Amino acid sequence: MLRPGEDLLQVEERLWLLSAPTGQGIYDFAFDRFFACRRPYVLPESMEVVARVGVWNDYAERYRELAAAGIRLVHTPEQHLLATELPHWYPKLTDLTPRSVWFDERPDAETVERLLGWPVFVKGERQTSRHRKSLSIIEGPEQFRQAMAAYAKDPILHWQRVVCRELRPLRRVEEGAPDRIPSSFEFRTFWWKGELVGWGPYWWQGTPYTLTPEARHEALGLGREVARRLDVPFLVVDVAQEVSGRWIVIECNDGQESGYAGISPFALWRAILDAERETGAA
């Protein structure tokens, strides 16, 4: 049932978690150091479980394996795809996010130029490769050809469909390292069953930045609308501000797989546990 390194625990008798260390400080969290946790010898016949084990490339298969043992992940395979992959969430958010196209096979530069022009933002359908600027912000056809050659060999990108997006002028925070996407005024938001449970700066390691009350209202209002439209239990929405002041959606993700960025994991899980307590009381 459980794979090596996985741990099934109940947190404060409100939330079941399937966890495993990934070695990534921005993702891992020692639940039993901060919350009352137990690992019952006798498990209930059925339970809803949040997985915090990193990324499963075989999510649907893992969902079926666990379901056979009475462990129902908080997202069905269909909900996982809706939350995670741009080709699934983009059709519901076309008015809130940059214009995008995607390809089952790596496209040629002429096709991308015809559909979007230059420059473009290029990524895998789920993520970039460590925020590398040279593989993401593409100024013209020759750079695009070089990027596609690199995509074919990249361990993160080679199995993902290629997504090309209109490059929007985002408000900058700092330039960062030479081959890293510049830090924009971007924020990560977590939504649990439609309610906000955490938010913070996406680029947490560099120059500090935060939201004014007015900007917070706009940014979190956008995140709430996305959560309403996608309607999945545990959603991450990344939003950023354009130079014009407009807020747009950068990316959506399954909260099970997402790093915390500049959000306190303790505060996030405390908010989720409190929400579950209120649900139970109701």
Side-chain angles (χ1 to χ4, degrees):
M1 178 182 69
L2 299 186
R3 293 179 177 177
E6 293 180 346
D7 184 19
L8 182 64
L9 65 158
Q10 189 179 36
V11 184
E12 296 196 353
E13 299 190 359
R14 299 178 208 165
L15 187 72
W16 285 96
L17 278 162
L18 179 64
S19 67
T22 66
Q24 301 296 318
I26 199 62
Y27 181 91
D28 293 341
F29 180 67
F31 289 92
D32 50 8
R33 289 181 56 189
F34 297 92
F35 299 109
C37 299
R38 66 189 188 97
R39 297 165 177 82
Y41 180 75
V42 178
L43 298 175
E45 291 185 4
S46 179
M47 66 192 89
E48 181 182 81
V49 176
V50 177
R52 290 292 296 180
V53 298
V55 176
W56 280 323
N57 292 333
D58 58 345
Y59 187 93
E61 179 183 344
R62 192 69 179 122
Y63 181 90
R64 290 189 291 269
E65 290 174 356
L66 292 168
I71 299 173
R72 178 170 51 87
L73 294 173
V74 69
H75 287 160
T76 65
E78 293 75 20
Q79 289 172 320
H80 172 73
L81 289 175
L82 179 59
T84 303
E85 295 189 359
L86 184 143
H88 290 265
W89 57 256
Y90 176 80
K92 293 180 178 290
L93 306 178
T94 53
D95 58 323
L96 305 178
T97 196
R99 189 160 54 100
S100 304
V101 293
W102 53 90
F103 307 88
D104 291 333
E105 304 288 338
R106 281 183 286 277
D108 56 45
E110 291 71 24
T111 299
V112 174
E113 183 172 9
R114 174 171 52 83
L115 294 173
L116 291 175
W118 308 109
V120 294
F121 188 89
V122 183
K123 64 188 291 294
E125 62 189 331
R126 295 178 66 170
Q127 64 191 107
T128 64
S129 180
R130 303 177 184 89
H131 300 114
R132 289 178 59 189
K133 181 179 179 180
S134 60
L135 296 183
S136 301
I137 298 177
I138 308 300
E139 303 288 346
E142 184 53 36
Q143 186 188 356
F144 183 81
R145 295 184 188 101
Q146 294 173 4
M148 288 300 96
Y151 268 53
K153 301 174 183 178
D154 189 278
I156 295 175
L157 297 170
H158 77 90
W159 56 272
Q160 299 184 56
R161 284 185 287 184
V162 174
V163 171
C164 297
R165 313 196 73 193
E166 179 186 8
L167 186 64
R168 301 298 303 162
L170 299 180
R171 175 180 170 185
R172 295 283 179 88
V173 173
E174 64 179 4
E175 290 302 315
D179 193 24
R180 197 201 74 179
I181 297 169
S183 301
S184 62
F185 199 63
E186 182 177 353
F187 294 84
R188 171 152 288 187
T189 64
F190 278 82
W191 302 84
W192 177 256
K193 299 179 180 177
E195 295 301 319
L196 179 69
V197 288
W199 67 272
Y202 181 85
W203 303 98
W204 77 97
Q205 290 179 306
T207 301
Y209 61 98
T210 191
L211 292 167
T212 64
E214 180 181 0
R216 177 177 175 176
H217 177 77
E218 294 181 19
L220 300 186
L222 174 59
R224 186 175 297 278
E225 174 62 14
V226 174
R228 185 193 69 81
R229 292 190 193 184
L230 297 188
D231 191 24
V232 298
F234 194 23
L235 180 68
V236 161
V237 184
D238 295 335
V239 299
Q241 190 178 41
E242 294 186 343
V243 172
S244 67
R246 179 193 178 205
W247 286 91
I248 61 171
V249 175
I250 298 298
E251 198 164 76
C252 298
N253 280 293
D254 186 331
Q256 297 179 106
E257 295 183 351
S258 300
Y260 298 111
I263 300 163
S264 161
F266 172 80
L268 171 69
W269 292 106
R270 179 77 272 163
I272 292 173
L273 288 165
D274 288 346
E276 287 300 287
R277 177 176 59 189
E278 292 174 6
T279 301

